[in-house]
Amino acid sequence: MQADYLSAATAMEEALPDVLMRIVSELHDVAYLIERIEPQLAAVHGDTAEHATERMMVMQGIDLAVQKTRGLAEFIDTITASIPENWVVDVTTALNLVKLADMQKALSNGMRHGHSQPIGKAAGDFEAF
């Protein structure tokens, strides 16, 4: 039993820079997805004065979320450049904590290209907390 666990754990060891770059890509995806909802949220309320202040605060909050997400991505990207390729981490436990199947797949699959989320597809299944 313990041998099975150890072999599974070593199979999930990956170079730390590769793992961090996949996280960077996921953060950029999150920022992009947040930006995509901005126009819809801006159109939700009419131009009435009673909702203008609230709408402005929501839009500023969305912009801040995008800026912070991109800032975190750039920070991780920058520090990743100085991490040696031979630094290896076991991502088994961390991947087991990720509940979104698409994100778990994107984070566990070596190098990937493009967005992890099917941006052009219609809405589908989701996970409610």
Side-chain angles (χ1 to χ4, degrees), residues 28-45 55 58-66 69-70 119 121 123:
H28 281 295
D29 284 354
V30 169
Y32 177 75
L33 292 170
I34 293 171
E35 279 184 322
R36 285 185 53 203
I37 64 170
E38 275 186 285
Q40 284 79 21
L41 289 177
V44 168
H45 296 292
R55 183 177 64 230
V58 168
M59 297 307 291
Q60 287 176 339
I62 291 170
D63 286 339
L64 181 59
V66 169
T69 304
R70 286 211 172 102
I119 293 171
K121 290 188 173 182

mmCIF file of all heavy atoms in Angstrom, residues 28-45 55 58-66 69-70 119 121 123:
data_model
loop_
_atom_site.group_PDB
_atom_site.id
_atom_site.type_symbol
_atom_site.label_atom_id
_atom_site.label_comp_id
_atom_site.label_asym_id
_atom_site.label_seq_id
_atom_site.Cartn_x
_atom_site.Cartn_y
_atom_site.Cartn_z
ATOM 1 N N HIS A 28 -4.064 34.597 -15.611
ATOM 2 C CA HIS A 28 -4.406 35.416 -16.779
ATOM 3 C C HIS A 28 -5.801 35.048 -17.301
ATOM 4 O O HIS A 28 -6.568 35.924 -17.720
ATOM 5 C CB HIS A 28 -3.359 35.273 -17.879
ATOM 6 C CG HIS A 28 -2.129 36.078 -17.642
ATOM 7 N ND1 HIS A 28 -2.116 37.460 -17.608
ATOM 8 C CD2 HIS A 28 -0.841 35.707 -17.414
ATOM 9 C CE1 HIS A 28 -0.903 37.900 -17.376
ATOM 10 N NE2 HIS A 28 -0.104 36.857 -17.249
ATOM 11 N N ASP A 29 -6.136 33.757 -17.277
ATOM 12 C CA ASP A 29 -7.479 33.333 -17.680
ATOM 13 C C ASP A 29 -8.546 33.949 -16.777
ATOM 14 O O ASP A 29 -9.574 34.418 -17.255
ATOM 15 C CB ASP A 29 -7.616 31.809 -17.622
ATOM 16 C CG ASP A 29 -6.948 31.102 -18.770
ATOM 17 O OD1 ASP A 29 -6.457 31.772 -19.697
ATOM 18 O OD2 ASP A 29 -6.921 29.853 -18.746
ATOM 19 N N VAL A 30 -8.295 33.947 -15.478
ATOM 20 C CA VAL A 30 -9.250 34.521 -14.522
ATOM 21 C C VAL A 30 -9.455 36.001 -14.812
ATOM 22 O O VAL A 30 -10.591 36.487 -14.858
ATOM 23 C CB VAL A 30 -8.780 34.297 -13.067
ATOM 24 C CG1 VAL A 30 -9.601 35.116 -12.087
ATOM 25 C CG2 VAL A 30 -8.841 32.821 -12.707
ATOM 26 N N ALA A 31 -8.365 36.726 -15.034
ATOM 27 C CA ALA A 31 -8.470 38.157 -15.341
ATOM 28 C C ALA A 31 -9.293 38.372 -16.610
ATOM 29 O O ALA A 31 -10.160 39.254 -16.660
ATOM 30 C CB ALA A 31 -7.081 38.774 -15.495
ATOM 31 N N TYR A 32 -9.047 37.558 -17.626
ATOM 32 C CA TYR A 32 -9.782 37.684 -18.885
ATOM 33 C C TYR A 32 -11.269 37.391 -18.678
ATOM 34 O O TYR A 32 -12.135 38.118 -19.194
ATOM 35 C CB TYR A 32 -9.191 36.731 -19.931
ATOM 36 C CG TYR A 32 -9.940 36.758 -21.231
ATOM 37 C CD1 TYR A 32 -9.789 37.823 -22.112
ATOM 38 C CD2 TYR A 32 -10.804 35.731 -21.578
ATOM 39 C CE1 TYR A 32 -10.484 37.868 -23.309
ATOM 40 C CE2 TYR A 32 -11.503 35.760 -22.775
ATOM 41 C CZ TYR A 32 -11.342 36.827 -23.634
ATOM 42 O OH TYR A 32 -12.042 36.866 -24.804
ATOM 43 N N LEU A 33 -11.582 36.358 -17.920
ATOM 44 C CA LEU A 33 -12.987 36.012 -17.681
ATOM 45 C C LEU A 33 -13.701 37.105 -16.889
ATOM 46 O O LEU A 33 -14.871 37.413 -17.155
ATOM 47 C CB LEU A 33 -13.084 34.664 -16.951
ATOM 48 C CG LEU A 33 -12.645 33.459 -17.774
ATOM 49 C CD1 LEU A 33 -12.535 32.215 -16.899
ATOM 50 C CD2 LEU A 33 -13.601 33.215 -18.932
ATOM 51 N N ILE A 34 -13.006 37.715 -15.942
ATOM 52 C CA ILE A 34 -13.609 38.817 -15.177
ATOM 53 C C ILE A 34 -13.875 39.995 -16.102
ATOM 54 O O ILE A 34 -14.940 40.617 -16.047
ATOM 55 C CB ILE A 34 -12.698 39.230 -14.004
ATOM 56 C CG1 ILE A 34 -12.625 38.120 -12.964
ATOM 57 C CG2 ILE A 34 -13.208 40.523 -13.354
ATOM 58 C CD1 ILE A 34 -11.577 38.345 -11.887
ATOM 59 N N GLU A 35 -12.907 40.306 -16.966
ATOM 60 C CA GLU A 35 -13.095 41.417 -17.904
ATOM 61 C C GLU A 35 -14.287 41.185 -18.822
ATOM 62 O O GLU A 35 -14.965 42.138 -19.210
ATOM 63 C CB GLU A 35 -11.842 41.617 -18.753
ATOM 64 C CG GLU A 35 -10.761 42.390 -18.064
ATOM 65 C CD GLU A 35 -9.584 42.640 -18.971
ATOM 66 O OE1 GLU A 35 -9.215 41.759 -19.767
ATOM 67 O OE2 GLU A 35 -9.028 43.741 -18.880
ATOM 68 N N ARG A 36 -14.533 39.946 -19.189
ATOM 69 C CA ARG A 36 -15.640 39.638 -20.095
ATOM 70 C C ARG A 36 -17.006 39.947 -19.486
ATOM 71 O O ARG A 36 -17.965 40.203 -20.215
ATOM 72 C CB ARG A 36 -15.599 38.166 -20.509
ATOM 73 C CG ARG A 36 -14.513 37.875 -21.526
ATOM 74 C CD ARG A 36 -14.555 36.448 -22.005
ATOM 75 N NE ARG A 36 -15.872 36.096 -22.494
ATOM 76 C CZ ARG A 36 -16.332 34.858 -22.554
ATOM 77 N NH1 ARG A 36 -15.594 33.857 -22.138
ATOM 78 N NH2 ARG A 36 -17.534 34.605 -23.011
ATOM 79 N N ILE A 37 -17.109 39.922 -18.156
ATOM 80 C CA ILE A 37 -18.409 40.190 -17.538
ATOM 81 C C ILE A 37 -18.645 41.677 -17.292
ATOM 82 O O ILE A 37 -19.771 42.085 -17.022
ATOM 83 C CB ILE A 37 -18.615 39.404 -16.226
ATOM 84 C CG1 ILE A 37 -17.618 39.840 -15.161
ATOM 85 C CG2 ILE A 37 -18.568 37.925 -16.476
ATOM 86 C CD1 ILE A 37 -17.926 39.288 -13.796
ATOM 87 N N GLU A 38 -17.611 42.483 -17.380
ATOM 88 C CA GLU A 38 -17.752 43.924 -17.123
ATOM 89 C C GLU A 38 -18.845 44.592 -17.960
ATOM 90 O O GLU A 38 -19.688 45.300 -17.408
ATOM 91 C CB GLU A 38 -16.429 44.653 -17.332
ATOM 92 C CG GLU A 38 -15.528 44.633 -16.127
ATOM 93 C CD GLU A 38 -14.302 45.485 -16.328
ATOM 94 O OE1 GLU A 38 -13.401 45.053 -17.066
ATOM 95 O OE2 GLU A 38 -14.259 46.587 -15.735
ATOM 96 N N PRO A 39 -18.872 44.393 -19.273
ATOM 97 C CA PRO A 39 -19.909 45.064 -20.065
ATOM 98 C C PRO A 39 -21.336 44.653 -19.674
ATOM 99 O O PRO A 39 -22.236 45.483 -19.647
ATOM 100 C CB PRO A 39 -19.611 44.636 -21.506
ATOM 101 C CG PRO A 39 -18.191 44.216 -21.505
ATOM 102 C CD PRO A 39 -17.919 43.678 -20.129
ATOM 103 N N GLN A 40 -21.503 43.372 -19.336
ATOM 104 C CA GLN A 40 -22.832 42.916 -18.933
ATOM 105 C C GLN A 40 -23.252 43.544 -17.609
ATOM 106 O O GLN A 40 -24.398 43.938 -17.440
ATOM 107 C CB GLN A 40 -22.879 41.383 -18.818
ATOM 108 C CG GLN A 40 -22.938 40.677 -20.141
ATOM 109 C CD GLN A 40 -21.570 40.587 -20.819
ATOM 110 O OE1 GLN A 40 -20.546 40.703 -20.181
ATOM 111 N NE2 GLN A 40 -21.574 40.411 -22.122
ATOM 112 N N LEU A 41 -22.311 43.650 -16.686
ATOM 113 C CA LEU A 41 -22.644 44.259 -15.399
ATOM 114 C C LEU A 41 -22.901 45.756 -15.530
ATOM 115 O O LEU A 41 -23.732 46.313 -14.825
ATOM 116 C CB LEU A 41 -21.531 44.011 -14.385
ATOM 117 C CG LEU A 41 -21.421 42.570 -13.890
ATOM 118 C CD1 LEU A 41 -20.235 42.431 -12.955
ATOM 119 C CD2 LEU A 41 -22.696 42.135 -13.197
ATOM 120 N N ALA A 42 -22.199 46.389 -16.449
ATOM 121 C CA ALA A 42 -22.405 47.817 -16.660
ATOM 122 C C ALA A 42 -23.803 48.083 -17.205
ATOM 123 O O ALA A 42 -24.396 49.125 -16.926
ATOM 124 C CB ALA A 42 -21.356 48.362 -17.619
ATOM 125 N N ALA A 43 -24.346 47.141 -17.953
ATOM 126 C CA ALA A 43 -25.650 47.325 -18.574
ATOM 127 C C ALA A 43 -26.810 46.878 -17.688
ATOM 128 O O ALA A 43 -27.961 47.117 -18.024
ATOM 129 C CB ALA A 43 -25.696 46.553 -19.894
ATOM 130 N N VAL A 44 -26.531 46.256 -16.547
ATOM 131 C CA VAL A 44 -27.591 45.719 -15.691
ATOM 132 C C VAL A 44 -28.492 46.819 -15.158
ATOM 133 O O VAL A 44 -29.704 46.722 -15.212
ATOM 134 C CB VAL A 44 -26.996 44.889 -14.534
ATOM 135 C CG1 VAL A 44 -28.040 44.578 -13.480
ATOM 136 C CG2 VAL A 44 -26.399 43.602 -15.071
ATOM 137 N N HIS A 45 -27.897 47.858 -14.628
ATOM 138 C CA HIS A 45 -28.688 48.960 -14.080
ATOM 139 C C HIS A 45 -28.907 50.013 -15.161
ATOM 140 O O HIS A 45 -28.070 50.221 -16.023
ATOM 141 C CB HIS A 45 -27.962 49.615 -12.892
ATOM 142 C CG HIS A 45 -27.796 48.703 -11.735
ATOM 143 N ND1 HIS A 45 -28.846 48.267 -10.982
ATOM 144 C CD2 HIS A 45 -26.688 48.127 -11.209
ATOM 145 C CE1 HIS A 45 -28.397 47.469 -10.027
ATOM 146 N NE2 HIS A 45 -27.092 47.366 -10.151
ATOM 147 N N ARG A 55 -23.146 51.292 -9.014
ATOM 148 C CA ARG A 55 -22.606 50.708 -10.240
ATOM 149 C C ARG A 55 -21.140 51.079 -10.401
ATOM 150 O O ARG A 55 -20.307 50.235 -10.757
ATOM 151 C CB ARG A 55 -23.407 51.159 -11.453
ATOM 152 C CG ARG A 55 -22.921 50.512 -12.751
ATOM 153 C CD ARG A 55 -23.749 50.904 -13.947
ATOM 154 N NE ARG A 55 -23.634 52.333 -14.195
ATOM 155 C CZ ARG A 55 -24.676 53.155 -14.373
ATOM 156 N NH1 ARG A 55 -25.905 52.690 -14.355
ATOM 157 N NH2 ARG A 55 -24.497 54.429 -14.583
ATOM 158 N N VAL A 58 -19.014 49.000 -8.044
ATOM 159 C CA VAL A 58 -18.900 47.618 -8.525
ATOM 160 C C VAL A 58 -17.902 47.546 -9.673
ATOM 161 O O VAL A 58 -17.036 46.665 -9.713
ATOM 162 C CB VAL A 58 -20.279 47.059 -8.946
ATOM 163 C CG1 VAL A 58 -20.136 45.754 -9.708
ATOM 164 C CG2 VAL A 58 -21.166 46.867 -7.725
ATOM 165 N N MET A 59 -17.991 48.471 -10.601
ATOM 166 C CA MET A 59 -17.086 48.470 -11.747
ATOM 167 C C MET A 59 -15.640 48.717 -11.305
ATOM 168 O O MET A 59 -14.711 48.092 -11.833
ATOM 169 C CB MET A 59 -17.515 49.516 -12.777
ATOM 170 C CG MET A 59 -18.895 49.252 -13.393
ATOM 171 S SD MET A 59 -19.081 47.610 -14.091
ATOM 172 C CE MET A 59 -17.999 47.738 -15.489
ATOM 173 N N GLN A 60 -15.440 49.604 -10.338
ATOM 174 C CA GLN A 60 -14.094 49.834 -9.819
ATOM 175 C C GLN A 60 -13.563 48.586 -9.123
ATOM 176 O O GLN A 60 -12.377 48.256 -9.232
ATOM 177 C CB GLN A 60 -14.082 51.018 -8.860
ATOM 178 C CG GLN A 60 -14.233 52.349 -9.560
ATOM 179 C CD GLN A 60 -14.325 53.515 -8.592
ATOM 180 O OE1 GLN A 60 -14.651 53.351 -7.418
ATOM 181 N NE2 GLN A 60 -14.040 54.708 -9.091
ATOM 182 N N GLY A 61 -14.446 47.872 -8.430
ATOM 183 C CA GLY A 61 -14.051 46.622 -7.777
ATOM 184 C C GLY A 61 -13.647 45.563 -8.789
ATOM 185 O O GLY A 61 -12.679 44.815 -8.577
ATOM 186 N N ILE A 62 -14.376 45.503 -9.892
ATOM 187 C CA ILE A 62 -14.033 44.552 -10.953
ATOM 188 C C ILE A 62 -12.683 44.906 -11.562
ATOM 189 O O ILE A 62 -11.833 44.036 -11.779
ATOM 190 C CB ILE A 62 -15.142 44.511 -12.027
ATOM 191 C CG1 ILE A 62 -16.394 43.863 -11.453
ATOM 192 C CG2 ILE A 62 -14.672 43.759 -13.270
ATOM 193 C CD1 ILE A 62 -17.602 43.975 -12.337
ATOM 194 N N ASP A 63 -12.477 46.183 -11.847
ATOM 195 C CA ASP A 63 -11.182 46.616 -12.393
ATOM 196 C C ASP A 63 -10.041 46.288 -11.435
ATOM 197 O O ASP A 63 -8.975 45.835 -11.859
ATOM 198 C CB ASP A 63 -11.189 48.114 -12.689
ATOM 199 C CG ASP A 63 -11.989 48.454 -13.930
ATOM 200 O OD1 ASP A 63 -12.203 47.561 -14.771
ATOM 201 O OD2 ASP A 63 -12.408 49.625 -14.051
ATOM 202 N N LEU A 64 -10.271 46.494 -10.140
ATOM 203 C CA LEU A 64 -9.247 46.180 -9.147
ATOM 204 C C LEU A 64 -8.960 44.678 -9.116
ATOM 205 O O LEU A 64 -7.803 44.263 -9.030
ATOM 206 C CB LEU A 64 -9.679 46.671 -7.760
ATOM 207 C CG LEU A 64 -8.690 46.427 -6.620
ATOM 208 C CD1 LEU A 64 -7.351 47.113 -6.915
ATOM 209 C CD2 LEU A 64 -9.281 46.916 -5.309
ATOM 210 N N ALA A 65 -10.007 43.856 -9.202
ATOM 211 C CA ALA A 65 -9.817 42.399 -9.221
ATOM 212 C C ALA A 65 -8.979 41.975 -10.426
ATOM 213 O O ALA A 65 -8.091 41.125 -10.314
ATOM 214 C CB ALA A 65 -11.172 41.690 -9.233
ATOM 215 N N VAL A 66 -9.238 42.561 -11.579
ATOM 216 C CA VAL A 66 -8.467 42.249 -12.789
ATOM 217 C C VAL A 66 -7.015 42.686 -12.603
ATOM 218 O O VAL A 66 -6.081 41.932 -12.902
ATOM 219 C CB VAL A 66 -9.093 42.924 -14.034
ATOM 220 C CG1 VAL A 66 -8.160 42.822 -15.233
ATOM 221 C CG2 VAL A 66 -10.438 42.292 -14.359
ATOM 222 N N THR A 69 -5.245 40.357 -10.127
ATOM 223 C CA THR A 69 -5.023 39.041 -10.722
ATOM 224 C C THR A 69 -3.855 39.089 -11.693
ATOM 225 O O THR A 69 -2.961 38.236 -11.667
ATOM 226 C CB THR A 69 -6.298 38.548 -11.430
ATOM 227 O OG1 THR A 69 -7.378 38.544 -10.491
ATOM 228 C CG2 THR A 69 -6.115 37.151 -11.979
ATOM 229 N N ARG A 70 -3.841 40.109 -12.553
ATOM 230 C CA ARG A 70 -2.720 40.255 -13.489
ATOM 231 C C ARG A 70 -1.414 40.570 -12.754
ATOM 232 O O ARG A 70 -0.348 40.100 -13.146
ATOM 233 C CB ARG A 70 -3.032 41.337 -14.511
ATOM 234 C CG ARG A 70 -4.046 40.873 -15.522
ATOM 235 C CD ARG A 70 -3.844 41.529 -16.877
ATOM 236 N NE ARG A 70 -4.714 40.903 -17.842
ATOM 237 C CZ ARG A 70 -5.844 41.406 -18.293
ATOM 238 N NH1 ARG A 70 -6.243 42.591 -17.877
ATOM 239 N NH2 ARG A 70 -6.578 40.747 -19.160
ATOM 240 N N ILE A 119 -13.416 29.392 -23.722
ATOM 241 C CA ILE A 119 -13.947 30.751 -23.772
ATOM 242 C C ILE A 119 -15.030 30.916 -24.832
ATOM 243 O O ILE A 119 -15.989 31.643 -24.647
ATOM 244 C CB ILE A 119 -12.795 31.747 -23.983
ATOM 245 C CG1 ILE A 119 -11.929 31.724 -22.727
ATOM 246 C CG2 ILE A 119 -13.296 33.148 -24.263
ATOM 247 C CD1 ILE A 119 -10.647 32.478 -22.836
ATOM 248 N N LYS A 121 -17.184 28.667 -25.844
ATOM 249 C CA LYS A 121 -18.337 27.790 -25.654
ATOM 250 C C LYS A 121 -19.406 28.451 -24.792
ATOM 251 O O LYS A 121 -19.143 29.357 -24.025
ATOM 252 C CB LYS A 121 -17.905 26.482 -24.982
ATOM 253 C CG LYS A 121 -17.087 25.595 -25.882
ATOM 254 C CD LYS A 121 -16.872 24.268 -25.207
ATOM 255 C CE LYS A 121 -16.195 23.291 -26.141
ATOM 256 N NZ LYS A 121 -16.035 21.991 -25.505
ATOM 257 N N ALA A 123 -22.212 28.545 -21.716
ATOM 258 C CA ALA A 123 -22.126 28.151 -20.325
ATOM 259 C C ALA A 123 -22.615 26.732 -20.165
ATOM 260 O O ALA A 123 -23.503 26.273 -20.851
ATOM 261 C CB ALA A 123 -22.966 29.106 -19.475
#
